[in-house]
Amino acid sequence: MEFALSEEQRMLQDSVRRFLEQNAPLDKVRLAAGDTHTVQRSLWAGASELGIPGMLIPEDFGGMGLGFLDAAIVYEMIGRHVAPLPILGTAVMAPLALMLAGSEAQQEKWLPKIAAGEIVAGVAVTEKIGIREDAGVKARKGTLTGKSLFVIDWAEADLYIVADSDHGLHLVLPDAKGLSRRALNTIDKTRSVGELVFDQVAAEPLPRSSADAVARMIDAGRVMLAADTLGAGQMMIEKAVAYAGERKQFGRVIGSFQAVKHLCAEMAAALEPSRSLVWYAAHALDEVPGDARLMACHAKSHLSEVGRFVARTATEVHGGMGFTDLLGLHYWFKRIGLDRQLLGGPELVRLEAARLQGWAA
Amino acid sequence: MDLVYDPKYEAFREEVRAFLTKHKDQAPRGLGAAGRPSPDACSWQQLLIQHGYAARTIPNDYGGYGAKPDILESRIIAEEFSTARVPSALQNQGISMLVPTLLELGTEEQKKKWVKPTLRGEVVWCQGYSEPGSGSDLASLQTKATEDGDDFVINGQKIWTSTAHEADMIFCLVRTEPDKPKHEGISYLIFSMKTPGIEVRPLTTMTGHAEFNEVFFTDVRVPKTQIVGQRGQGWFVANATLKYERGMLGDPAAMETRFQALVDLMREETVDGQRAIDNPIFRDRLVRLQAELAAMKFNGLRLLTSASRGEDPGLARLIVKLQSCELTHQISALAIDVMGEFGVLYDDSPYLRSHGSWQWGYMFQLGLIIGGGTAQIQKNIISERGLGMPREPKLAK
Ligand SMILES: Cc1cc2nc3c(=O)[nH]c(=O)nc-3n(C[C@H](O)[C@H](O)[C@H](O)COP(=O)(O)OP(=O)(O)OC[C@H]3O[C@@H](n4cnc5c(N)ncnc54)[C@H](O)[C@@H]3O)c2cc1C
Ligand SMILES: Cc1cc2nc3c(=O)[nH]c(=O)nc-3n(C[C@H](O)[C@H](O)[C@H](O)COP(=O)(O)OP(=O)(O)OC[C@H]3O[C@@H](n4cnc5c(N)ncnc54)[C@H](O)[C@@H]3O)c2cc1C
């Protein structure tokens, strides 16, 4: 029994951290934020060289064949650096869709391209969690009609994986006839989401689609969003502590005021145990099937709550500076804000957790 | 990450289960957390020691079971007792705090004399640290012990001394070196509560029970041999015990048991025929607590692994007392809210649920948030030791 990261996992996490420190510093993030719906090609190429897009893809298809815990600790670093990378759809949810529901031919065609970082894959599943604005996609005779909101990795996607209202999953090409696309601009400028509108769009079904496959994509997505918030929250705490150690008022560093210290302690006390929850939820996706769904819900909802608290509190510790664009702290604040709502906000996710345990109809 | 137990541990788990199946009817009902254990509780404790489910790693010579320390075995025992809802080994201040301290810092004679009867529940201890003027700032304590021949003569007062009214013995911090800086003038003494000159006055707490006491010392004579550690090193000795106390307060298995009881309660309580668990607001609070509990449980596993590797887990450990006490209190708070008006029934009122244990718990657990280092003191520790933030500017001594 060992509840800890392995040596290899620590090395993996360190290498991703170093890569992002060098290649995704704040000025890069700012650049990306000015152009949210464009993929940052050089950063993406570097991430691809590290193997990030193919982290979950089996080695037979050119991926690294890593597990979900590995992916989650990579994701933690991505959140830590608010890295503008199309990872959630491309590297996590789309490969899972193909692996769980795709035909061999589909897998052979797409997985190696994803693993090599040659394509970006968007994922449209929001309506499996909740329908707003009459969205939802109907499949009929090889075509899709309807719309899907908050499509993940929407911008410049070379491929979309679309869930219909019947647990079917489909491949849709961005230039398909009858497909129109609208950007949805969110507070978070480090990631792109958008809308897809389908008017009898030709789509290729994934033949082994099932409710389980869709659920598993969502579970994995939720754990990764939790890991993203974990990393972002951790960085916000470190920034708050560092700022409090430098900023002087009343002739003392503000970090010597107990009010400020206690805010920092509360952040750390809330975040530290949630690290173990994220680890376990990711581990469970691979190793403890009976726990996986519930723990994905817990990780997602709990990190949403802890993340919100850390995001606002770390900002407060920075005083007026935290509120400005100068420090760029708001990129972390907003990242955590989007993580919270994507793939189900905490109240909704907790209702699912209750249902899983027979506590709700 | 490898959460599968070795076959040898699975075999051990089976042993524990077999023991529980065979003996669980002998277990006493309702072990009081503190106070003098009932004769039933003592026999149960002795049976547990005999099988290695209590005092497992304490050497035979001192009345323990003498197993090699193995954190996973301890965890399996805790898990299985908790799942079977059978009372596990006795926990009181003597067992959880004094015994480890004696084993670490006591003389051979002290260990031989006190560890065994304490483990068996036969000798009950109280902790004489806090004073009216020295709570969080414990090191400022004023109870004096002056040397007189082979004895120390103690004068002063302790307060909030849990179970002092039932205790046989006290482990007590006294000032032996009044001229030294406050941390260097303290000694750690152990002595009988029957020593002449000790007066115990119970203090009723908000729960309505006299859970702790004031203890007055007037010319209390204690042989010098009854010091633990060196003269003037009591602060260091006491910190060894505080370390164990904080460990005692963060037991995820105990929180899990309370949580399960809360789920049961929410399935039973109804308003207008609707079960509490079907009320979306209560249910949301429940699931929220469940997620927090999961986080603390896995944090506990992480600490376990660090401990078995001899690594210091840092923040993950420093946050345990603060977070566990708070979470435990939140679990009770939801139980109270679910019961509504029934949640404030008390004593022997009609309609009282679960013998009023939630109401008692909701109040008593607030005491746990305060005792053993208040929440604010925990936050000082987390920010200073965990995050490296500046220490409080020292005031004049
Ligand atoms: C939206 C907005 C509008 C503003 N408009 C104006 C304006 O029009 N004109 C103008 O002059 N100013 C304006 N301000 C500035 C504002 O008054 C300051 O931001 C505020 O007084 C805090 O000062 P600071 O930003 O330097 O933070 P700091 O004083 O550096 O505080 C940083 C952190 O330390 C804490 N802290 C500081 N001292 C102590 C202490 N003694 N005890 C405990 N904690 C402490 C603070 O609470 C905070 O959490 C504005 C600020 C904002 C955010
Ligand atoms: C249920 C219970 C059982 C107990 N059992 C025992 C026992 O068996 N033996 C024993 O010796 N003692 C016992 N105690 C005493 C306990 O250790 C003290 O109550 C505790 O250490 C706090 O001290 P105090 O009560 O004097 O509060 P104070 O120290 O006066 O604190 C009052 C408030 O001020 C805050 N405060 C104090 N100093 C600081 C600071 N530096 N920074 C920020 N905030 C601060 C505290 O957090 C608290 O909110 C028990 C207490 C309780 C509640």
Side-chain angles (χ1 to χ4, degrees):
Chain A
M1 222 283 313
E2 271 204 332
F3 194 94
L5 298 182
S6 67
E7 197 49 45
E8 295 84 57
Q9 282 166 334
R10 280 189 244 194
M11 279 162 54
L12 170 69
Q13 203 176 34
D14 276 351
S15 69
V16 176
R17 180 206 304 259
R18 273 196 309 274
F19 166 72
L20 292 172
E21 270 166 10
Q22 283 160 21
N23 296 281
L26 188 58
D27 50 348
K28 272 274 177 62
V29 172
R30 285 186 192 284
L31 256 156
D35 193 4
T36 307
H37 299 299
T38 305
V39 173
Q40 300 301 304
R41 291 292 163 188
S42 67
L43 185 61
W44 182 238
S48 304
E49 239 164 75
L50 271 180
I52 291 175
M55 58 189 174
L56 290 168
I57 295 174
E59 284 166 292
D60 290 352
F61 295 109
M64 299 213 285
L66 298 177
F68 286 107
L69 178 56
D70 307 300
I73 62 176
V74 168
Y75 224 106
E76 184 190 341
M77 289 300 111
I78 290 170
R80 179 182 175 85
H81 293 278
V82 291
L85 287 167
I87 295 292
L88 187 60
T90 308
V92 179
M93 295 176 76
L96 262 186
L98 286 161
M99 291 184 307
L100 295 169
S103 67
E104 272 177 40
Q106 286 165 336
Q107 294 176 345
E108 275 163 25
K109 178 168 178 195
W110 294 108
L111 288 175
K113 288 201 172 84
I114 293 178
E118 285 166 23
I119 62 169
V120 168
V123 171
V125 295
T126 303
E127 287 69 34
K128 303 310 293 181
I129 298 159
I131 293 174
R132 323 282 297 275
E133 298 281 344
D134 289 328
V137 179
K138 288 254 176 294
R140 242 184 105 236
K141 297 187 187 152
T143 66
L144 299 179
T145 297
K147 69 177 177 184
S148 183
L149 299 176
F150 298 100
V151 175
I152 292 163
D153 295 345
W154 170 88
E156 294 191 55
D158 304 283
L159 173 72
Y160 291 106
I161 305 273
V162 180
D164 68 28
S165 50
D166 243 359
H167 310 304
L169 290 163
H170 308 263
L171 297 174
V172 174
L173 297 177
D175 53 2
K177 199 163 146 265
L179 178 69
S180 40
R181 306 195 284 164
R182 275 202 299 184
L184 298 176
N185 292 313
T186 74
I187 54 169
D188 176 23
K189 306 296 180 208
T190 64
R191 285 168 299 176
S192 140
V193 292
E195 178 184 24
L196 295 180
V197 182
F198 305 86
D199 180 9
Q200 297 189 35
V201 174
E204 185 186 322
L206 301 186
R208 295 183 296 130
S209 298
S210 65
D212 275 353
V214 176
R216 198 157 162 79
M217 289 165 67
I218 293 171
D219 291 345
R222 284 176 173 166
V223 174
M224 297 306 144
L225 287 169
D228 194 74
T229 291
L230 173 66
Q234 176 68 39
M235 188 63 142
M236 285 192 95
I237 296 175
E238 288 173 25
K239 283 177 181 287
V241 169
Y243 185 80
E246 284 169 10
R247 167 77 171 163
K248 278 196 176 145
Q249 289 288 279
F250 304 98
R252 294 158 59 172
V253 291
I254 58 169
S256 69
F257 292 119
Q258 199 176 52
V260 173
K261 285 163 69 174
H262 282 195
L263 290 179
C264 293
E266 284 163 17
M267 289 192 279
L271 193 75
E272 198 53 37
S274 48
R275 177 183 314 282
S276 304
L277 176 59
V278 169
W279 288 358
Y280 181 76
H283 174 79
L285 281 172
D286 276 321
E287 305 289 340
V288 198
D291 257 2
R293 304 225 50 203
L294 180 61
M295 288 302 157
C297 289
H298 281 337
K300 175 68 166 67
S301 61
H302 186 61
L303 268 292
S304 297
E305 306 295 9
V306 170
R308 166 170 282 178
F309 172 68
V310 169
R312 63 86 35 105
T313 307
T315 305
E316 264 184 285
V317 168
H318 284 79
M321 280 303 269
F323 188 71
T324 64
D325 183 44
L326 286 171
L327 288 184
L329 191 70
H330 62 92
Y331 289 112
W332 280 262
F333 182 97
K334 293 167 180 172
R335 181 101 177 183
I336 290 170
L338 180 60
D339 285 347
R340 181 180 171 101
Q341 306 305 345
L342 278 183
L343 300 179
E347 291 77 11
L348 219 141
V349 172
R350 284 195 288 267
L351 178 57
E352 272 189 58
R355 286 194 181 118
L356 287 170
Q357 300 175 88
W359 295 346
Chain B
M1 190 75 90
D2 173 12
L3 302 187
V4 180
Y5 288 95
D6 265 19
K8 87 167 181 188
Y9 289 113
E10 288 307 336
F12 180 70
R13 191 185 292 280
E14 287 312 314
E15 267 173 49
V16 181
R17 285 186 182 160
F19 171 86
L20 285 169
T21 313
K22 185 159 167 214
H23 295 283
K24 73 166 168 238
D25 296 337
Q26 287 162 257
R29 265 165 229 297
L31 270 192
R36 178 168 295 282
S38 65
D40 278 358
C42 285
S43 334
W44 180 244
Q45 170 75 358
Q46 287 159 22
L47 183 73
L48 295 187
I49 297 177
Q50 199 187 324
H51 287 82
Y53 303 141
R56 180 169 184 81
T57 59
I58 293 171
N60 276 140
D61 288 355
Y62 306 132
Y65 177 75
K68 238 179 47 211
D70 183 324
I71 273 164
L72 294 184
E73 287 178 352
S74 311
R75 165 147 183 107
I76 288 168
I77 296 168
E79 278 174 1
E80 292 304 319
F81 276 69
S82 162
T83 312
R85 301 201 188 183
V86 171
S88 52
L90 263 187
Q91 281 213 3
N92 57 37
Q93 290 177 324
I95 292 172
S96 306
M97 299 174 67
L98 175 86
V99 164
T101 305
L102 281 188
L103 290 174
E104 197 172 315
L105 300 161
T107 63
E108 191 55 31
E109 199 193 329
Q110 288 167 343
K111 292 187 218 179
K112 279 262 160 58
K113 183 154 178 196
W114 297 115
V115 174
K116 184 169 181 181
T118 303
L119 291 175
R120 293 167 62 88
E122 292 157 357
V123 169
V124 174
W125 292 79
C126 61
Q127 174 199 22
Y129 287 9
S130 305
E131 296 181 6
S134 306
S136 298
D137 183 14
L138 183 58
S140 68
L141 60 93
Q142 294 301 325
T143 294
K144 270 191 191 50
T146 44
E147 206 174 343
D148 185 27
D150 290 337
D151 297 335
F152 285 117
V153 179
I154 304 173
N155 281 286
Q157 183 197 342
K158 296 289 170 183
I159 194 168
W160 325 129
T161 323
S162 305
T163 63
H165 55 300
E166 291 179 293
D168 306 296
M169 295 287 294
I170 183 169
F171 51 100
C172 190
L173 292 180
V174 293
R175 189 160 296 284
T176 43
E177 266 73 19
D179 305 329
K180 291 248 175 89
K182 66 179 181 180
H183 292 93
E184 292 160 32
I186 297 170
S187 295
Y188 185 111
L189 300 181
I190 53 179
F191 50 93
S192 166
M193 287 297 284
K194 306 208 173 57
T195 319
I198 300 182
E199 188 195 344
V200 176
R201 290 187 205 151
L203 275 178
T204 303
T205 73
M206 70 193 292
T207 68
H209 303 279
E211 276 134 358
F212 49 35
N213 306 271
E214 294 176 285
V215 181
F216 296 86
F217 304 110
T218 315
D219 294 330
V220 174
R221 280 194 171 266
V222 173
K224 279 190 196 160
T225 50
Q226 290 178 205
I227 190 167
V228 179
Q230 302 299 309
R231 231 180 118 144
Q233 285 196 353
W235 182 251
F236 169 71
V237 179
N239 271 313
T241 34
L242 284 179
K243 173 175 79 192
Y244 297 114
E245 182 178 33
R246 279 171 200 153
M248 179 173 115
L249 291 170
D251 176 5
M255 288 193 280
E256 184 98 36
T257 307
R258 293 310 279 165
F259 183 83
Q260 281 312 325
L262 171 59
V263 174
D264 293 345
L265 178 77
M266 287 180 63
R267 287 197 168 112
E268 283 157 20
E269 284 301 331
T270 60
V271 177
D272 289 340
Q274 187 194 42
R275 299 183 311 162
I277 202 153
D278 296 327
N279 173 315
I281 294 173
F282 287 145
R283 187 174 55 210
D284 186 70
R285 283 175 64 184
L286 179 74
V287 178
R288 194 167 172 161
L289 291 175
Q290 190 181 34
E292 285 183 37
L293 180 59
M296 287 311 290
K297 181 170 139 188
F298 299 125
N299 189 66
L301 287 184
R302 189 172 152 209
L303 295 181
L304 211 63
T305 296
S306 311
S308 69
R309 293 176 175 177
E311 294 167 358
D312 177 9
L315 267 175
R317 178 176 60 82
L318 296 177
I319 55 96
V320 168
K321 200 255 166 182
L322 179 68
Q323 295 300 91
S324 302
C325 289
E326 187 58 36
L327 179 55
T328 305
H329 198 232
Q330 293 290 325
I331 290 171
S332 297
L334 177 53
I336 301 282
D337 292 351
V338 158
M339 291 186 282
E341 294 95 326
F342 292 152
V344 291
L345 294 177
Y346 208 48
D347 303 322
D348 52 0
S349 172
Y351 301 112
L352 186 66
R353 307 318 206 224
S354 319
H355 310 288
S357 68
W358 292 109
Q359 292 86 327
W360 177 82
Y362 179 70
M363 293 187 270
F364 185 75
Q365 289 148 13
L366 185 53
L368 298 183
I369 290 175
I370 297 165
T374 67
Q376 291 67 38
I377 296 299
Q378 300 304 318
K379 290 177 197 174
N380 289 350
I381 293 173
I382 294 166
S383 56
E384 291 170 9
R385 291 189 219 153
L387 299 173
M389 297 183 80
R391 289 188 161 264
E392 285 293 286
K394 285 267 178 269
L395 300 173
K397 295 250 160 63

